[in-house]
Amino acid sequence: MTAIIGVVVVAPYPSIRAGLRTMIERQPDVIVLAEWADEPLDSFTTPDVLVIDLDPDRLSLPGRLSDRFPGAGMVLLLDSPTLYRRVSGPLDRGSAVLLKDASADEIGLALRAAARGFVFLDPAIAQVAGIHGAAGSPYNADGDVVEPLTEREKQVLELLAQGLPNKTIAMELGISEHTAKFHVGAIMSKIGAASRTEAVALAARKGLLVL
């Protein structure tokens, strides 16, 4: 039986909290425990993951909430990739950082990664951070993938192996181009590749892809 992930949504405006709740509750293994505007309003709620809509003038909030809930993962939603370097708080294990235009599927992937103690970054944020298979990524000591590829990621990988760009991959799978790019970034992170070509080569070497 799949464990249920308990989530607290933190956002300054009721409309944003409602929108995030709607996207999160599309996930079959996730439940929203509470919604907060800023600091914890309910001291009895202990989340598995905090989803935080982060404005530029509230970048210290993740650090404060991390101190309050040291065992909880975090999914941060930023206005732009460059804000990543200014965020206060531990962004190591159990952290995901997305842009605010992330889809429900992307937020779902990030939630599961953060709940399992992994680091999960939007490709644009990873590029700003200069992270390619860095510490905290889902590998074991031998460099093998610990977190398996999802079925969607396997589909994207097969199309990636055909040399298709993100736009064509998106059309083939009926998803947005941004979501396709997101899946490609997740594949590269899981496999430990710095480029699309290397991702295909490493996937074949690890038996994840038959060329």
Side-chain angles (χ1 to χ4, degrees), residues 4 12 29 51 61 63 72 75 96 139 155 163 186 189 211:
I4 299 298
D29 55 344
V51 177
L61 181 58
V75 176
Y139 316 110
Q155 294 170 346
S189 177
L211 299 178

Side-chain angles (χ1 to χ4, degrees), residues 14 53 58 66 110 124 127 137 145 160 193:
D53 183 271
R58 302 166 75 237
S66 179
Q127 185 175 11
S137 297
V145 177
L160 196 61

Side-chain angles (χ1 to χ4, degrees), residues 33-119:
L33 302 174
E35 299 176 12
W36 298 332
D38 197 322
E39 299 290 359
L41 303 178
D42 180 359
S43 60
F44 299 102
T45 299
T46 302
D48 297 308
V49 179
L50 292 150
V51 177
I52 306 172
D53 183 271
L54 201 55
D55 288 340
D57 59 348
R58 302 166 75 237
L59 296 180
S60 64
L61 181 58
R64 299 200 304 271
L65 291 177
S66 179
D67 291 340
R68 173 66 178 81
F69 301 104
M74 286 192 177
V75 176
L76 307 182
L77 303 173
L78 303 182
D79 287 312
S80 71
T82 55
L83 287 176
Y84 176 83
R85 297 180 183 275
R86 296 171 50 199
V87 174
S88 170
L91 295 178
D92 40 38
R93 291 188 59 81
S95 299
V97 189
L98 308 177
L99 296 176
K100 290 188 179 182
D101 62 356
S103 68
D105 286 344
E106 292 164 359
I107 291 175
L109 288 170
L111 278 170
R112 295 182 187 93
R116 296 177 185 180
F118 296 130
V119 172

